[in-house]
Amino acid sequence: MQKVYVTGSNVRRITLESASPVQVITREELTRGGATSLNEVLRTISSNVGGNDENRTSGFTAGAAGMNLRGIGSQSTLMLINGRRLAPYAQPEFQTTFVDLNSVPIGAVERIEVLKDGASAIYGSEALAGVVNIILRNSFEGIEAGGSVGRSGRSDGEQVRGTISGGFGDLVKDHFNAYATLDVRSRKPMFISKRDDYLSTQDTRAWGYRDLRSLHTFPGNLYWTDPKTNTFTSRSLDPNCPADRLVPADTLLNKGAQGTACVFDDYKDGTFNSATKTDRIGVTSRLTWQPTASTTVFSELMYNRNKALLTGNLHWVQANNGGALPALPITHPQYPKDLIGPDGKTLAGGNKTVRVRAQLRDFPGIGKENTTDFGRYLVGAKGEIANWDWESALLLSNSKVTSVMTSGLLETPFLNAYNNGTFIFGNTAANAALYKTLVANTRSVFKSGVQQIDGKISGELMNLPAGPVGLAVGAEARREYLETNPDPLTVAGELYHMATASPGFKNSRRVQSIYGEATIPLFKSLEAQLAARFDHYSDYGNSTTPKVGLKWTVSPQLLVRGTFAKGFRAPTLVENSTDVKDAYVTIKDPFRCNDQFKEDCAASTPYQSGANPKLAPETAKSYTLGLAWEPTSWFLATLDLWQINRINEINTYDIDKVLGDPGRYANDPAVSVVRDPLTAGDRANGATAGAVSSIKLLLTNVASTKIQGLDLKLQGKYNMGEYGVLQPTLNLSHTQSYKTAPSPGEPMIEYAGTLGTPSVQATLGLSWKKAAYTLSADTVFIGKMSSVSDRTVKCKEETEGYANMCTGVPSFTVVNLGGSYTGIKDLKLSFAVQNAFDRKPPFRPYDGNNYFAPLHSAMGRYFQLTADYKFK
């Protein structure tokens, strides 16, 4: 019988079931629901909890997507292609790095194996929560071509995709094979404004919440303090504001405010994406040559370019004292004439200013266009000597992200035009010419890469009474690097209301590893797996990780298995770099906010946070215990309990705890709090320390997490004779507990079931086949979540007077339908309907959306037609 490698082991084996749980996603399962990218498939598996999404409308990683097994972070899921690493996405999301799923075209994938177990002893760093191993085609002969078109039920998101594969050479007859796959996809954006109900408006009163439309409108609103009533008075700059947009000022400003304001609905009036515009082209090829019967030489080439365009953020103005723009100058043409006294001075009360809130709708919005070039190049050889297999390869993998921000507003010339009155709010014609002098595009470039050489041997060491002992040993040496080059304008802080970028940096390291693994048949029915790995990192030092597994074949129908593994995650090249960011933070200073002294109860303080070259790796212990039961040839059930204990997590200390207990952190190099001297006047008034002048909190090894749950899989294959074959599959993950302690000595907080950490996720698949016909239905279920992401914090909406919004976020279920027909020679016709019942995500105000975007989708129903042809 032919022996094979299973993800999670370097020892070839006959049986696919090992001591570790592995989920296999076949090529048919990848595409039957209409998925055209790995992201669309892998984000829906039950063990994945969110992760970076290519359709995000905020952040830096537009067009990129990452996995997040068990919800403990994308950096704790190891991504592989054919068992080897990939370069991470080059543009970090703050300190987070991850492998971009969109770097691999789906047309080149044979299957995906998901190891739901810690595997640092096998693969090294990052494999804390599990491993996703993407298996490419080994060989291919002939020519296949396919194409598809798609469109959402809201008449946007139009998509065109084409793929062609060609190969020649028979490994048995010709001793070689060469093939290549070209995959091209283009999809237009989808817009929030085209979605239904609460998805496309900020006025959510009809759904039990409040009017979230903005005072920042086009052309703008003015407000000032009335000297007689000492309250705000508001006035719109739009004399023709529609009646449904004109609201009383006291709904947006303070209670008792006078006048009206013209509000702006960002979702209806803006250009916010619900999905980005993307254009992708990818080439994957493999060349295999067998110079002898026992030797194979192979090479793999993969190149993928992904362009993603994100729009939606209009420029806005918030002009008042202390802001980037000052209050409206009294000399400005739009200063209210009735507020200018006979002496030429303002009649406004309070701080004597007129404030402006405006949306610059006559300016093009800020755009982000990310172009990702991903390459993977490998050459290697493998063969057999006696009863031993050997393999060695050289790998080069790199990622380059060119991030262009379009229509950035230059702060200095805009400030000048505002102050001298040449910029007029709402004067679209005049502003068109001025606009050209006020904007600039920025171009930032990021590069990452992995260079690796490896070798391993695998075979049978000896025979025991219960069977042969399998052994694998190997070694790796690799170099990892990361380089960031932000645009000089962003580093200099020259863009209006845009955060200043930290300077670029270069960081690299070398890693040498050796590992060994053995499968030992203790009895005929009991097999042990022993593995250990030693990794030396040039930046922090050494890590040693063991793993032990047992597989007990109780009977031909029942298998019991379990594992224990230690794991680690090395600090990323961002986390231990020189990347420290400047910002401001609002603090409540316990030494200057008490019954007597109130000056610093909400103080704005310079704040630095970011990388720390002294970081140690995160470490973890993981456990699994499960069984596989196959009572008949048409039914299989697996149940696996799992637990992950992670310590030394890389995070920052809680700023309130640092300020409240300075002695505890006095000698910690990751903490710096600088205070001014305490003045005699402040002491007399009740202050016990000088004002905080700066705070620096660097990343450090501080947090810990304990998470446990179970995975259930039920799989059937029912032959119904003349009525075809029915194949149901259920994959369910239940997170029983997810506890985190933010720092040593702190009690653990339970997060299971909170917002972003659903207790239950499941996928239910059902396919039917008969002759040339295939139909499928795949149901994706995300369980109910609480209204808060942290149960120690009160629900925000309740504090606003909307307790009805704090009863939890309902579950969300989406059904994807598919079908195909192969009754025409060499032709396959398919259809797919994603979200066939057009389900809207549950209403939940969150981070600028009215739904929980990290886990739920606002796409709605989506149609797709596909044709594939095999040339004979």
Side-chain angles (χ1 to χ4, degrees), residues 365-615:
I366 305 170
K368 181 182 284 291
E369 184 177 70
N370 279 6
T371 301
T372 305
D373 292 290
F374 173 83
R376 182 180 181 273
Y377 316 98
L378 179 141
V379 60
K382 61 183 179 180
E384 299 176 3
I385 300 177
N387 64 338
W388 292 86
D389 300 330
W390 61 269
E391 182 174 337
S392 181
L394 174 66
L395 168 70
L396 303 176
S397 180
N398 53 63
S399 171
K400 177 183 177 183
V401 177
T402 304
S403 183
V404 176
M405 188 188 72
T406 60
S407 305
L409 199 57
L410 295 169
E411 185 167 302
T412 300
F414 181 56
L415 178 62
N416 292 336
Y418 168 80
N419 283 331
N420 63 32
T422 55
F423 173 76
I424 304 296
F425 293 97
N427 192 346
T428 303
N431 290 343
L434 181 65
Y435 166 78
K436 298 177 182 178
T437 68
L438 301 181
V439 299
N441 295 344
T442 64
R443 183 177 182 272
S444 303
V445 179
F446 307 86
K447 299 177 181 178
S448 71
V450 174
Q451 302 160 348
Q452 175 178 299
I453 185 169
D454 61 57
K456 67 179 179 181
I457 58 173
S458 171
E460 296 179 358
L461 180 63
M462 65 177 73
N463 284 307
L464 296 178
V469 175
L471 178 69
V473 294
E476 295 176 5
R478 70 177 184 272
R479 176 178 178 268
E480 303 171 348
Y481 65 88
L482 177 66
E483 178 181 340
T484 68
N485 297 283
D487 190 279
L489 283 175
T490 64
V491 176
E494 289 292 332
L495 299 175
Y496 175 60
H497 62 61
M498 298 294 290
T500 300
S502 54
F505 65 88
K506 295 181 181 179
N507 199 8
S508 65
R509 63 184 170 207
R510 296 185 181 276
V511 185
Q512 293 88 34
S513 310
I514 57 173
Y515 58 87
E517 180 187 353
T519 56
I520 305 172
L522 303 177
F523 303 99
K524 286 290 185 181
S525 60
L526 184 63
E527 177 186 276
Q529 177 193 24
L530 303 177
R533 184 182 178 103
F534 174 81
D535 294 90
H536 172 72
Y537 279 72
S538 60
D539 47 7
Y540 78 80
N542 305 326
S543 291
T544 302
T545 47
K547 183 174 184 177
V548 179
L550 287 173
K551 185 181 73 170
W552 177 29
T553 306
V554 181
S555 69
Q557 294 79 31
L558 180 63
L559 178 149
V560 178
R561 60 193 177 194
T563 64
F564 164 76
K566 288 187 176 181
F568 76 102
R569 181 181 76 81
T572 68
L573 293 177
V574 186
E575 291 170 332
N576 66 6
S577 70
T578 58
D579 187 39
V580 177
K581 301 184 186 301
D582 295 306
Y584 282 86
V585 64
T586 300
I587 63 170
K588 181 179 180 180
D589 188 344
F591 296 97
R592 298 175 62 82
C593 178
N594 51 50
D595 293 340
Q596 294 177 278
F597 198 88
K598 302 292 184 183
E599 184 174 318
D600 288 333
C601 291
S604 181
T605 303
Y607 175 68
Q608 285 187 313
S609 178
N612 183 354
K614 303 296 184 180
L615 288 173

Side-chain angles (χ1 to χ4, degrees), residues 646-845:
R646 183 172 62 172
I647 61 173
N648 293 327
E649 289 180 35
I650 296 173
N651 209 330
T652 56
Y653 290 114
D654 183 278
I655 193 169
D656 292 329
K657 290 183 172 59
V658 170
L659 292 173
D661 190 3
R664 177 179 177 180
Y665 305 94
N667 298 316
D668 195 318
V671 176
S672 173
V673 178
V674 179
R675 290 181 178 272
D676 296 333
L678 177 61
T679 65
D682 284 356
R683 182 186 292 110
N685 286 314
T688 58
V692 174
S693 57
S694 69
I695 300 174
K696 180 165 69 174
L697 297 180
L698 300 181
L699 292 170
T700 188
N701 298 96
V702 61
S704 61
T705 295
K706 181 178 181 180
I707 177 173
Q708 59 189 24
L710 63 85
D711 291 330
L712 172 68
K713 178 181 178 180
L714 304 176
Q715 181 175 306
K717 186 175 183 179
Y718 303 96
N719 190 333
M720 301 185 296
E722 61 178 309
Y723 299 104
V725 177
L726 196 65
Q727 291 183 267
T729 302
L730 170 68
N731 283 283
L732 181 147
S733 293
H734 169 54
T735 302
Q736 179 185 357
S737 177
Y738 191 124
K739 294 182 178 180
T740 293
S743 60
E746 297 292 331
M748 300 197 92
I749 302 169
E750 179 63 77
Y751 288 93
T754 60
L755 191 65
T757 313
S759 293
V760 179
Q761 294 190 147
T763 56
L764 174 63
L766 183 65
S767 70
W768 171 79
K769 297 180 181 179
K770 181 185 177 185
Y773 297 93
T774 299
L775 294 174
S776 65
D778 294 288
T779 302
V780 181
F781 173 83
I782 299 173
K784 180 181 178 180
M785 299 176 285
S786 70
S787 301
V788 294
S789 56
D790 185 343
R791 292 192 179 97
T792 64
V793 178
K794 198 167 186 178
C795 178
K796 178 176 73 72
E797 289 75 20
E798 184 177 353
T799 64
E800 298 172 347
Y802 297 93
N804 60 297
M805 294 297 301
C806 298
T807 57
V809 180
S811 62
F812 184 44
T813 304
V814 170
V815 178
N816 304 319
L817 301 179
S820 64
Y821 174 70
T822 56
I824 303 173
K825 184 180 180 182
D826 301 327
L827 179 66
K828 179 181 179 181
L829 300 175
S830 309
F831 78 90
V833 185
Q834 298 181 47
N835 194 354
F837 299 107
D838 203 23
R839 290 288 307 277
K840 292 192 298 290
F843 175 58
R844 176 63 197 169

Side-chain angles (χ1 to χ4, degrees), residues 140-466:
F140 175 73
E141 288 185 82
I143 299 177
E144 291 180 353
S148 66
V149 293
R151 187 178 187 181
S152 83
R154 304 302 182 276
S155 300
D156 57 6
E158 294 87 348
Q159 178 176 280
V160 177
R161 176 176 177 261
T163 181
I164 184 169
S165 297
F168 61 95
D170 185 292
L171 288 176
V172 176
K173 297 178 180 178
D174 306 317
H175 306 296
F176 79 91
N177 179 262
Y179 80 86
T181 297
L182 174 66
D183 200 298
V184 181
R185 192 191 88 155
S186 178
R187 190 185 68 186
K188 294 182 179 179
M190 303 183 203
F191 296 99
I192 281 289
S193 60
K194 291 192 174 184
R195 270 56 234 167
D196 297 334
D197 300 332
Y198 50 80
L199 296 177
S200 59
T201 181
Q202 289 183 305
D203 185 359
T204 60
R205 290 174 293 180
W207 295 275
Y209 196 39
R210 58 191 180 92
D211 189 350
L212 296 170
R213 291 177 296 178
S214 174
L215 191 63
H216 296 79
T217 192
F218 179 81
N221 290 298
L222 307 179
Y223 67 97
W224 60 92
T225 301
D226 183 84
K228 296 179 181 179
T229 62
N230 200 33
T231 189
F232 284 134
T233 296
S234 174
R235 181 183 301 169
S236 173
L237 288 172
D238 184 2
N240 300 312
C241 179
D244 64 339
R245 303 292 179 92
L246 202 61
V247 302
D250 62 1
T251 63
L252 293 166
L253 300 171
N254 65 318
K255 186 177 181 180
Q258 304 171 13
T260 57
C262 190
V263 294
F264 190 85
D265 194 323
D266 287 318
Y267 299 164
K268 283 187 180 298
D269 304 329
T271 56
F272 279 85
N273 295 146
S274 63
T276 55
K277 179 184 186 302
T278 56
D279 295 288
R280 298 176 190 159
I281 181 170
V283 177
T284 304
S285 70
R286 180 180 173 95
L287 174 63
T288 306
W289 173 47
Q290 294 179 331
T292 69
S294 60
T295 305
T296 301
V297 179
F298 57 92
S299 66
E300 298 171 0
L301 179 148
M302 178 179 289
Y303 171 77
N304 190 69
R305 166 165 281 195
N306 179 19
K307 284 189 175 182
L309 176 63
L310 181 67
T311 62
N313 295 320
L314 296 174
H315 290 288
W316 49 271
V317 169
Q318 184 163 310
N320 49 264
N321 284 354
L325 288 186
L328 192 69
I330 198 169
T331 56
H332 194 280
Q334 291 175 300
Y335 198 92
K337 300 299 185 289
D338 54 325
L339 285 182
I340 303 176
D343 58 357
K345 296 183 178 180
T346 184
L347 298 177
N351 62 6
K352 306 295 185 181
T353 63
V354 174
R355 311 178 197 192
V356 185
R357 300 292 185 268
Q359 195 90 252
L360 306 186
R361 195 178 182 185
D362 51 351
F363 281 16
I366 305 170
K368 181 182 284 291
E369 184 177 70
N370 279 6
T371 301
T372 305
D373 292 290
F374 173 83
R376 182 180 181 273
Y377 316 98
L378 179 141
V379 60
K382 61 183 179 180
E384 299 176 3
I385 300 177
N387 64 338
W388 292 86
D389 300 330
W390 61 269
E391 182 174 337
S392 181
L394 174 66
L395 168 70
L396 303 176
S397 180
N398 53 63
S399 171
K400 177 183 177 183
V401 177
T402 304
S403 183
V404 176
M405 188 188 72
T406 60
S407 305
L409 199 57
L410 295 169
E411 185 167 302
T412 300
F414 181 56
L415 178 62
N416 292 336
Y418 168 80
N419 283 331
N420 63 32
T422 55
F423 173 76
I424 304 296
F425 293 97
N427 192 346
T428 303
N431 290 343
L434 181 65
Y435 166 78
K436 298 177 182 178
T437 68
L438 301 181
V439 299
N441 295 344
T442 64
R443 183 177 182 272
S444 303
V445 179
F446 307 86
K447 299 177 181 178
S448 71
V450 174
Q451 302 160 348
Q452 175 178 299
I453 185 169
D454 61 57
K456 67 179 179 181
I457 58 173
S458 171
E460 296 179 358
L461 180 63
M462 65 177 73
N463 284 307
L464 296 178

